[in-house]
Amino acid sequence: MQRKLSCLGLLLLAACGSGTEDVLAAWRKAGQPPGEFKDVGEKLPGGKCFAGKVAGLDATLCDFKDVELARKAEDAGWELVGNAVGSSIASGKVLLVIADPRKEDPSGRRLNELIQTFRQTTR
């Protein structure tokens, strides 16, 4: 009985995953395993944000209550990109801010792959 309850709990947890968790899982599946993403609170107004590295790039993922709040936060996301090559993209209720301040990806290929996976996951 206890084993059945454990399995049920895991299924419920997986079904209730956040957009951030879904994106991190999709990047892993695509062969771009992210490092540890830490809770950084409301780094962008109205969002629950997590920051870390993926494929040598700095990334921040934020979950919002609705699509409109995520879109409004895109401009603030550009401030996190700064002078680096990167992007601030809202897709669904999730915002991705990704930057390459150390010029780890001169061709932009990894950056593009990560963005495409993000978009496919959050539609």
Side-chain angles (χ1 to χ4, degrees):
M1 179 69 169
Q2 185 177 10
R3 187 173 187 197
K4 287 182 183 178
L5 289 175
S6 293
C7 291
L8 180 59
L10 289 174
L11 287 172
L12 288 173
L13 185 61
C16 298
S18 71
T20 294
E21 292 167 351
D22 295 342
V23 172
L24 295 174
W27 284 340
R28 281 185 206 98
K29 187 176 179 182
Q32 299 285 0
E36 182 181 357
F37 270 64
K38 295 183 180 183
D39 186 338
V40 292
E42 197 174 303
K43 193 167 189 174
L44 295 173
K48 171 97 170 120
C49 302
F50 298 85
K53 294 194 183 306
V54 60
L57 307 176
D58 295 347
T60 300
L61 288 163
C62 300
D63 293 306
F64 290 85
K65 289 189 298 186
D66 60 49
V67 173
E68 189 59 32
L69 285 174
R71 283 194 188 130
K72 286 180 180 177
E74 276 182 325
D75 289 339
W78 283 107
E79 292 177 25
L80 297 178
V81 173
N83 292 326
V85 172
S87 194
S88 177
I89 304 163
S91 179
K93 296 179 185 180
V94 184
L95 177 75
L96 167 65
V97 178
I98 190 162
D100 186 11
R102 293 168 302 286
K103 299 180 174 125
E104 299 276 331
D105 183 26
S107 70
R109 183 173 173 226
R110 281 182 279 165
L111 181 71
N112 187 52
E113 288 173 0
L114 293 165
I115 290 170
Q116 293 305 316
T117 301
F118 165 76
R119 284 184 171 152
Q120 291 169 357
T121 304
T122 55
R123 294 184 217 201

